[in-house]
Amino acid sequence: MKNRLRVLYLSTEVAPFAKTGGLADVASALPKALFEDGHDVRVIMPKYGNINERRYTLREVIRLKEIPIRVGKQDHMVSAKSAFLPDTKVQVYFLDYKPFFERTDYYVDSATGVDFPDNAERFFLFCKAVLETIKLLHWEPHIIHCNDWQTAMVPWLLKNNYQEDPFFAKAITVLSVHNLAYQGSFPTETLQRLGLPEELGSAGSELECYGKINFLKAGLSAADIITTVSPTYAIEIQNDPELGCGLNGLLKDRKEDLCGILNGVDYAVWNPETDPLIPEKFSAANLKGKIKNKEELMTRARLPYNPAVPVIGVISRLADQKGFDLIAAAMDDLLALKVQMVILGTGEPKYHKLLEKLSKAHPQQVAVFLTFDDQLAHLIEAGSDMFLMPSRYEPCGLNQMYSLRYGTIPIVRKTGGLADTIIDYDADANHGNGFVFEKYDAKALKSAVSRAVKLFKDDKSWQKLIKRCMKLDFSWHAAADKYVKLYLKLENSKKKK
Ligand code: ADP
């Protein structure tokens, strides 16, 4: 094939092996789509303690055993195992270093609720080990595609430690930002533990940021190109000081190299016609199964089933970003609209407490599951009538797109990827695919929900809306195409240099 690219894709979570949020879905679906497009893609991720080696048939790789990786004063012996993304031929390498990765949590210790104290060493080691691993594989990538702060030191390392290495002469680095609020920021004392010179903590260094070291900033400075996961978020992070999280200036300086590409949906995983995780399959042509899923969801949630009462689903990390303070502020008004709510999420303890209180206060109307449960997530998508995402900000958001395919009408705040995917029904009844509110307050949220509830009561219009939503196509191919065009443009410009 002409223009076949070797793409190394780096992520610290990849579904179904390890997932805390949307990144895992992207890191599985995009490599798959690139592979189907004819490119040679390999993925590297850490081997965490809860990745089942048997279930996914992880194999040892003889030449990738006991690779010495220096972090601080010590060489750490890293080995790699390999497997395929399920039902594909996309090769995934798992970097195995038990003292750092043999844990069931990835970034935050759920026992304490705070970040692991050795996160800087863990992910710096991962970045270094990635580069040594591919050298040992003799597999020279054209593109090294990094994601978020955990892999952001790769472009920095290439620029600073490997600039003379002919093995990487061709390599172009892409850094995708899935959420700018997570930056990998550590006190400058960390430099010593990483074995890096002290002066890198001083102003003017790519690694320094507001008196600390910052992995994401180093990556954003060093990468050849920066992408983020929706066009609107790409603009917001340059212009909105809150969303820019202290990096607006740098992002503006690099605006020629920054672009937003909307994530897609992996319809092999999120499709009510084939979904093995839901009790009854359904399609736009035959919606009977959706009713069964709603009944089943109500049974799971221990809420009374009534087809005339709209069920609103929520699936989310419980973080400030996601708008739970709004949900709490609007709850009484929402429940007065005679809706039921099923909420699935884990995260910050304050939201665990808040949601528990709400479900206890309204046992007939609110059910809360404070856990991570993929199967239940699919059932909520399939069995709810509406899906609520009142995010303060949302780089892309996947659940609104999953909801569309399951005929579950999204109610969203107009921000980031939500603004790029959902059109308000009342503003445009011919193209609308959800209900949108703009102002971040409880009144605006309530008004959007009440508009949705009003339409729900008009069964004919509601069914028509459901069918339109289910037919929309947000598949990965369009997004993968955009990435490939970007890769090729970069490759050509590098050749010319
Ligand atoms: P983010 O990446 O900010 O968490 P996204 O909407 O991009 O948000 O992606 C979230 C992904 O994580 C979706 O696939 C969603 O279904 C899943 N998810 C979030 N919380 C849970 C949970 N508690 N149980 C199961 N899946 C969850």
Side-chain angles (χ1 to χ4, degrees), residues 19 22 25 315-317 322 344-345 371-373 397-399 402:
K19 169 166 170 175
D25 291 3
I315 305 165
S316 180
R317 286 183 297 112
K322 300 289 184 179
L344 167 64
T371 160
F372 196 95
D373 183 336
L398 293 169
N399 281 109
Y402 300 160

Side-chain angles (χ1 to χ4, degrees), residues 99-121:
F100 282 2
F101 297 119
E102 193 69 4
R103 308 177 188 181
T104 50
D105 297 315
Y106 309 147
Y107 321 121
V108 177
D109 185 352
S110 56
T112 60
V114 294
D115 289 357
F116 285 119
D118 57 355
N119 274 352
E121 292 94 309

Side-chain angles (χ1 to χ4, degrees), residues 294-324:
K294 181 168 171 178
E295 277 182 59
E296 180 72 23
L297 177 63
M298 292 295 95
T299 309
R300 267 294 292 274
R302 296 170 194 254
L303 293 177
Y305 169 70
N306 179 347
V309 173
V311 171
I312 304 178
V314 178
I315 305 165
S316 180
R317 286 183 297 112
L318 302 181
D320 290 335
Q321 171 204 342
K322 300 289 184 179
F324 284 95

Side-chain angles (χ1 to χ4, degrees), residues 188 199 205 221 275 301 330 347 356 466:
T188 47
E199 56 269 23
S205 135
S221 309
D275 191 338
E356 250 166 9
I466 288 183

Side-chain angles (χ1 to χ4, degrees), residues 16 33 35 44 94 127 190 266 304 340 354 394 398 417 426 441 444 449 470 481:
F35 183 85
I44 306 189
F94 298 83
C127 291
T190 316
D266 185 348
Q340 291 171 316
L354 177 90
E394 194 60 75
L398 293 169
D426 289 320
D441 68 22
V449 174
M470 290 180 78
D481 231 40

